[in-house]
Amino acid sequence: MTTPYASAAPYYARYRPPYPTELYALLADRFALDGSQTVLDLGAGPGTIALPLAPLVEQVYAVDPEPAMLTEGCALAEEQGIGNISWLRGDAAGIGRLCLPRIDLCVIGDAFHRMDRERVAADLDAVLAPRGGIAVVTSLATAWPAVVDEVRARFLGPGTEAGTDHVRDAEDRLAKSELSRVETTRWERSARCTVDQVIGLQFSRASSHPALLGDRKDAFASELRRALLDHDPGGGYTRTVTVAVTVATRPRR
């Protein structure tokens, strides 16, 4: 059975922006990554974290419930000559069934809020090495021009406001787990996108993936392109993106 991300997978792989290099430097320092560690990327998608993290460790297990995402990630790994990632179909509810070795670090990129967080923390506590931990990565971006939501609403109906502070939620839930030593670090940067990138990012979302639009996909893209260029004929759109990583480890004894 596929997920809403099946038709979104190629757009996710191509258009979702990478996480900042500072994230990997922090993880390397915090977990003393020296090429000998084993990492679990839970909700890995097409390897947005797994691929840049792989050169720093011995083995990465990239786990995602959507086969199309794993296919995209496997192809990217082959392109980049990365051979130490195992691409596994699975989800956060089945960590115990994955038969993983001892894990030094589990990374979760923009997916923790969709999981049963208490259960995930408990299940990970059972497989993490004594000095291991979890790194929950969360992205928050300022809004696109209003015309994007206007076009989406015409094709898909009105959206809903997220409203939840996913960083605070992750901190609170992890602080109540066995991995209760929690620290969050943030980076902020400006990202400039072309019209094609803005459209591709809409197709990468579970709420506007191509299969959901069906035979209206091309019309959606054309109308969104026209609306964006009417808004800014220069065709460049800048927004601020904040990336936070919440690291949770066991308290020191």
Side-chain angles (χ1 to χ4, degrees), residues 123-145:
D123 288 349
L124 288 173
D125 179 52
V127 300
L128 284 169
R131 294 185 179 275
I134 305 173
V136 174
V137 185
T138 306
S139 302
L140 177 65
T142 53
W144 295 114

Side-chain angles (χ1 to χ4, degrees), residues 15-57:
Y15 291 106
R16 288 290 178 110
Y19 293 114
T21 56
E22 292 90 343
L23 168 64
Y24 305 100
L26 183 148
L27 295 177
D29 178 68
R30 182 68 182 77
F31 292 95
L33 303 182
D34 60 5
S36 65
Q37 289 76 25
T38 300
V39 171
L40 167 63
D41 185 356
L42 192 58
T48 310
I49 294 180
L51 290 163
L53 193 58
L56 304 177
V57 301

